[in-house]
Amino acid sequence: MALPKLETPVYTLNLPSTDEEIKFRPFLVKEQKRLMMAQESDSTTETIDAITRLINDCTFNKLDGNKIAMFDAEYVFLQVRSKSVGSKVELNITCPDDKKTKVPHTLDLDEINVAMFDDHTNEVQLTENIKVIFKYPLLSTFAAYSTKSSTADMMFKLIEECIDEVHFKEEITNRVDMSDKDLTEFIESLSTDQFMQMTKFFETMPRLRHKIEVKNPKTEVTSEVILEGIQSFLV
């Protein structure tokens, strides 16, 4: 006799970038196993691959984890994780006042949202005639460049990866029409101020962000801690 099929509940969320309503289900044991194996490997690439596959599967392939913005993917993953194994996460937070004492903190993933900043724009006006349009980095972008030896090197590669269009007067050049060599030369020709204008896109782009307060039991000092990025909300 065939075993009965188990019904899986379906939930909805609103995608932060577009506010589109997305249906999703909790992950199954086989998917949880795949994710745990990736995390145990200590490989960022394997973990990102597992998360993107999980997003695809749990949204019934409505979303492609390899194509949506990183902050969308992180938010969707936390929502799936919350409905799958519970919304409460136990974290060990380092107290900012002495930078060594760790205190436990229970975090509710259902309270985590994507922060949007008023001064954020994906358009950077470099000169009167030159404008750059950016696209948001993907989870795979983070995996590819998070191991760069320096912050400056990582930022350079992120800019190179996320430039989508370059406008010169009425002429528009799409990324697909730019050679890597030409793009590198373009970025290297920027002034320091122009380069900083570009980095502001990444500094102000939407991200998972949550504020908590922790009290150091040794010094009795209460401090505010800001958690950002998916790595801050996982154990």
Side-chain angles (χ1 to χ4, degrees):
M1 185 176 71
L3 293 175
K5 290 186 177 181
L6 300 175
E7 289 190 9
T8 304
V10 176
Y11 304 93
T12 60
L13 60 83
N14 291 90
L15 202 63
S17 63
T18 62
D19 202 36
E20 179 185 2
E21 187 174 273
I22 302 295
K23 292 182 179 181
F24 72 98
R25 62 165 174 80
F27 54 66
L28 307 178
V29 169
K30 64 178 180 181
E31 294 157 344
Q32 183 181 19
K33 179 182 177 182
R34 186 170 63 211
L35 180 62
M36 291 174 63
M37 290 175 64
Q39 291 175 317
E40 289 171 0
S41 72
D42 289 327
S43 167
T44 301
T45 300
E46 288 188 25
T47 301
I48 295 300
D49 285 346
I51 290 175
T52 53
R53 288 181 63 187
L54 186 145
I55 290 172
N56 297 352
D57 294 341
C58 292
T59 61
F60 310 100
N61 291 310
K62 174 69 174 179
L63 298 177
D64 185 340
N66 288 308
K67 294 182 179 180
I68 59 175
M70 182 169 71
F71 60 88
D72 278 336
E74 291 180 333
Y75 178 76
V76 172
F77 174 73
L78 283 193
Q79 292 297 306
V80 172
R81 193 264 183 212
S82 174
K83 298 302 184 185
S84 303
V85 293
S87 64
K88 300 295 192 294
V89 177
E90 300 295 330
L91 301 177
N92 284 316
I93 306 296
T94 301
C95 296
D97 64 309
D98 66 7
K99 296 181 174 57
K100 61 180 180 181
T101 303
K102 292 185 179 295
V103 295
H105 181 84
T106 301
L107 188 69
D108 189 344
L109 295 181
D110 289 339
E111 297 178 355
I112 310 303
N113 292 302
V114 172
M116 304 287 186
F117 300 91
D118 293 337
D119 60 344
H120 176 70
T121 176
N122 70 328
E123 299 184 6
V124 178
Q125 193 76 42
L126 296 176
T127 70
E128 183 180 348
N129 296 318
I130 301 174
K131 179 170 67 175
V132 173
I133 309 296
F134 281 96
K135 61 184 178 182
Y136 289 112
L138 312 175
L139 277 179
S140 56
T141 309
F142 170 78
Y145 300 124
S146 62
T147 56
K148 291 296 176 183
S149 57
S150 69
T151 302
D153 189 31
M154 182 179 73
M155 182 56 66
F156 189 94
K157 292 298 183 183
L158 280 173
I159 289 174
E160 201 171 60
E161 180 77 17
C162 294
I163 286 180
D164 196 35
E165 299 175 0
V166 175
H167 295 211
F168 177 60
K169 295 183 179 179
E170 301 302 318
E171 180 183 348
I172 299 175
T173 304
N174 294 301
R175 178 62 181 92
V176 69
D177 298 317
M178 307 175 202
S179 70
D180 291 343
K181 179 177 180 293
D182 287 345
L183 185 55
T184 298
E185 289 178 353
F186 174 76
I187 297 172
E188 289 180 342
S189 70
L190 297 170
S191 68
T192 301
D193 182 61
Q194 289 168 336
F195 187 82
M196 294 303 293
Q197 284 181 259
M198 285 194 169
T199 62
K200 189 177 179 181
F201 165 76
F202 298 97
E203 293 167 357
T204 62
M205 73 179 187
R207 69 197 66 186
L208 290 179
R209 197 169 193 265
H210 189 69
K211 292 181 183 180
I212 62 172
E213 285 190 350
V214 295
K215 185 175 182 179
N216 190 324
K218 296 180 180 178
T219 63
E220 297 190 350
V221 172
T222 299
S223 304
E224 183 181 86
V225 176
I226 296 178
L227 304 176
E228 290 187 337
I230 195 170
Q231 67 278 5
S232 299
F233 305 105
L234 301 178
V235 293

